[in-house]
Amino acid sequence: MASDHVDVLIVGAGLSGIGAAVHLRRNCPEKTYAVLEARGAIGGTWDLFRYPGIRSDSDMYTLGYSFKPWTNPKAIADGDSIRAYVRDTAREYGVEQHIRFHHQVVRAEWDSGQARWTVHARRDDTGEETVLTCAFLFTCSGYYRYDEGYTPEFPGVDRYAGQLVHPQHWPEDLDYTGKRVVVIGSGATAVTLVPAMAERAGHVTMLQRSPTYVISLPSRDVLADALRRWLPAKAAYPVVRWKNVLLGVANFQLSRRAPNVVKKLLRRAAKGRLPVGYDVDRHFSPRYNPWDQRLCVVPDGDLFHSVRAGRAAVVTDTIDTFTEQGIRLTSGEELPADVVVTATGLNLLAFGGMTLAVDGRELNLAETVAYKGMMLSGVPNFAMTIGYTNASWTLKADLVATYVCRLLRHLDATGQQIVTPVAPASDELEPIIDLKSGYVLRAVDQLPKQGATAPWRLHQNYPRDVLLMRHGRLTDEGVRFSRAGAPTDGSPAEPTVRGAGTPADTPVA
Ligand SMILES: Cc1cc2nc3c(=O)[nH]c(=O)nc-3n(C[C@H](O)[C@H](O)[C@H](O)COP(=O)(O)OP(=O)(O)OC[C@H]3O[C@@H](n4cnc5c(N)ncnc54)[C@H](O)[C@@H]3O)c2cc1C
């Protein structure tokens, strides 16, 4: 059993973990760190998912890192390009050699007496257990189970003679050329798969229980294309990034304040891309308001093109039963299928399933409150990366990493060792994720809560978070700073550091 110590231990080598390591290198170069990654590769989501057409559904000028311009002309990019971007970043910034692959973190125990975490990892290649200690634990472990996607129990599925596939485990050798395909689902994965598979399949049916808002966006960014001709990438990138951030915020705010207007606009846009007489209300007009669930983006209207061309169809109905040849619907209609793809979602899972204990007390995540959306009440020297629900994940991941670096520098500058968020006095608490999608509702009871006001409230607003996290105070009513040996139950054993900013209390990125 090997054991060693680092200042910061990052869990996960996906988009967030690699970004976190780069921020750390640039802003706290004296800190030692390691990245523990359960899998054998960099990239997380963008390495795991290999289904046809896999791509981002947000633009890469905001899904890319603040410190590394996205230079590929595709604003909505394919999975391979995103994976390459994350890997290139790890190589370019010297992070690669700090990653320990095949290390699944299963448990972390905090000891206030020593101001350190003891972290247990299981190696899936050797079966060995590794123990590391660290002063600060930074989880960048995504939000869902890697080993298993979500599949509801479908009646009769055992007798289905065709091939049943979940997009999270795409068989490399699956040949669907000329075949009849049914994709069950209406989310981002389904709307990506349908046009991509329709290029080769005999016919593709998207079978949805209820519709989702689908919006067509250009796969290339006109402003980025224009600026690229005149400006170096480093100068053009922030301009396009901020343009897209502000458009996103405006779109979200309009959806919240005037949902009926946005509903009408989305319906009109969909109708204009569908064949004349198409039942747009049945298939593309959800009952919920825009942004109660994420909008589904289709680049250059590819889904609508497939429907128009007759290569794909949308069916809105429920499954009565699978049959030997396909699916029988509640309406009595039969959908014959050689291949059925269950694009039915993910299983949410915090920290890849690792358990946490603080001074011998097991942590129940559901009893914690998130502080600034990135730390947990009662959990010292711990940060987590959870991206926005209404904007690109990396916008928040960059801010969280920046904030962690500020905190580490603040601790050093003030001679403190421990930072512990405290829960708000008010018991007005809400779920941490405000979406009403099935995958969120299935798990939200097991996740941390958010409070009603700052610093416990998630505003899902990047410009506001820039002020809060890049430029805002590190000391407030929601957090206590202390030295080793102090209790972590929120009682003020050591004076809370308050007052004017310290040298470290300055933006670092
Ligand atoms: C198909 C799909 C498309 C998406 N498209 C977009 C999009 O267009 N825009 C957007 O903003 N978001 C999108 N998302 C959300 C997406 O997950 C984020 O954009 C981003 O990739 C998350 O990066 P991450 O590094 O935080 O998490 P992940 O990509 O999930 O990576 C987490 C890493 O941590 C490792 N890990 C987890 N637990 C442990 C553990 N206990 N021990 C060791 N290692 C561990 C995993 O193996 C993995 O490598 C998409 C998600 C999916 C599933």
Side-chain angles (χ1 to χ4, degrees):
M1 202 190 275
S3 169
D4 48 339
H5 180 83
V6 286
D7 293 325
V8 181
L9 188 67
I10 296 170
V11 181
L15 197 50
S16 306
I18 299 301
V22 174
H23 279 283
L24 200 61
R25 268 187 82 96
R26 298 176 76 192
N27 300 314
C28 303
E30 73 293 349
K31 296 283 177 203
T32 57
Y33 75 94
V35 183
L36 296 194
E37 167 54 55
R39 304 175 71 240
I42 292 173
T45 298
W46 302 105
D47 185 68
L48 177 74
F49 281 86
R50 301 294 180 122
Y51 58 75
I54 170 77
R55 56 163 174 80
S56 65
D57 58 1
S58 36
D59 72 276
M60 289 307 300
Y61 300 99
T62 55
L63 191 58
Y65 299 115
S66 55
F67 54 81
K68 182 172 166 67
W70 175 259
T71 51
N72 180 325
K74 285 252 169 181
I76 306 270
D78 57 85
D80 286 349
S81 309
I82 303 174
R83 186 168 62 250
Y85 172 80
V86 181
R87 281 188 188 163
D88 290 350
T89 306
R91 197 168 311 123
E92 200 177 313
Y93 288 87
V95 172
E96 242 178 356
Q97 55 268 34
H98 294 262
I99 305 174
R100 303 185 196 182
F101 291 106
H102 301 290
H103 280 68
Q104 166 92 34
V105 178
V106 289
R107 183 164 177 79
E109 292 154 349
W110 169 259
D111 175 3
S112 294
Q114 296 188 60
R116 62 173 53 177
W117 287 96
T118 301
V119 177
H120 301 259
R122 196 180 304 128
R123 295 196 58 151
D124 72 351
D125 49 351
T126 61
E128 215 184 323
E129 189 189 333
T130 310
V131 180
L132 278 92
T133 55
C134 64
F136 198 98
L137 183 59
F138 192 175
T139 56
C140 298
S141 44
Y143 62 104
Y144 61 88
R145 257 179 86 160
Y146 265 66
D147 59 340
E148 200 175 81
Y150 175 70
T151 313
E153 281 191 19
F154 294 117
V157 73
D158 290 344
R159 67 183 136 126
Y160 174 56
Q163 196 161 1
L164 194 66
V165 179
H166 193 286
Q168 198 165 325
H169 309 280
W170 196 264
E172 232 176 279
D173 56 353
L174 177 66
D175 183 10
Y176 54 87
T177 311
K179 293 192 175 162
R180 295 162 305 176
V181 177
V182 172
V183 177
I184 304 175
S186 59
T189 301
V191 304
T192 301
L193 271 166
V194 170
M197 293 186 81
E199 284 175 18
R200 276 205 278 138
H203 185 264
V204 184
T205 304
M206 181 166 112
L207 171 59
Q208 56 179 15
R209 204 167 35 183
S210 54
T212 303
Y213 290 107
V214 178
I215 179 170
S216 171
L217 290 182
S219 61
R220 291 179 71 122
D221 190 296
V222 178
L223 179 65
D225 283 350
L227 290 183
R228 199 173 293 117
R229 272 183 250 129
W230 308 106
L231 292 177
K234 271 214 154 30
Y237 185 57
V239 177
V240 183
R241 191 173 164 89
W242 271 102
K243 184 263 292 174
N244 290 353
V245 163
L246 296 175
L247 275 177
V249 171
N251 165 326
F252 182 75
Q253 292 300 336
L254 186 63
S255 301
R256 280 284 183 258
R257 283 156 208 234
N260 289 330
V261 173
V262 176
K263 264 184 189 181
K264 276 191 193 138
L265 289 172
L266 289 169
R267 183 186 180 279
R268 191 184 305 163
K271 190 168 184 246
R273 289 179 173 269
L274 288 161
V276 177
Y278 190 86
D279 194 348
V280 64
D281 290 323
R282 182 168 173 75
H283 303 306
F284 287 97
S285 300
R287 284 185 292 270
Y288 58 84
N289 283 336
W291 282 113
D292 281 354
Q293 299 186 18
R294 272 182 90 112
L295 301 193
C296 283
V297 169
V298 292
D300 304 321
D302 61 2
L303 174 71
F304 299 117
H305 283 302
S306 308
V307 172
R308 253 188 123 102
R311 294 194 304 272
V314 180
V315 171
T316 307
D317 205 333
T318 48
I319 296 175
D320 174 28
T321 181
F322 270 71
T323 62
E324 285 73 15
Q325 297 82 31
I327 297 172
R328 187 182 317 129
L329 303 171
T330 314
S331 62
E333 190 185 345
E334 301 261 352
L335 292 180
D338 307 305
V339 179
V340 172
V341 183
T342 52
T344 41
L346 308 161
N347 284 310
L348 282 199
L349 183 68
F351 316 135
M354 66 190 260
T355 57
L356 295 168
V358 174
D359 291 329
R361 194 169 29 90
E362 287 304 309
L363 189 76
N364 179 354
L365 268 190
E367 290 173 1
T368 62
V369 184
Y371 170 80
K372 295 182 177 166
M374 44 121 2
M375 294 176 86
L376 294 174
S377 60
V379 187
N381 290 16
F382 175 89
M384 59 187 184
T385 307
I386 304 178
Y388 291 116
T389 51
N390 62 353
S392 283
W393 182 278
T394 320
L395 291 172
K396 183 68 183 279
D398 268 338
L399 289 181
V400 170
T402 301
Y403 197 86
V404 167
C405 293
R406 292 183 65 202
L407 271 179
L408 295 172
R409 288 169 47 173
H410 181 80
L411 287 169
D412 289 348
T414 54
Q416 303 287 337
Q417 292 170 300
I418 305 175
V419 51
T420 314
V422 292
S426 153
D427 53 10
E428 260 183 79
L429 299 178
E430 292 172 28
I432 192 166
I433 308 180
D434 58 355
L435 292 178
K436 297 191 175 62
S437 313
Y439 72 96
V440 175
L441 298 178
R442 282 195 297 277
V444 81
D445 288 351
Q446 297 142 39
L447 300 177
K449 307 284 182 287
Q450 63 169 312
T453 52
W456 299 279
R457 176 123 197 116
L458 272 90
H459 291 283
Q460 302 289 353
N461 182 316
Y462 176 70
R464 192 176 177 150
D465 280 348
V466 167
L467 295 178
L468 180 78
M469 300 181 74
R470 213 181 267 176
H471 306 290
R473 286 165 49 120
L474 294 167
T475 56
D476 58 37
E477 56 185 317
V479 77
R480 290 187 203 289
F481 293 87
S482 57
R483 292 187 55 80
T488 54
D489 59 1
S491 52
E494 293 278 321
T496 303
V497 179
R498 294 208 181 268
T502 63
D505 194 356
T506 48
V508 288

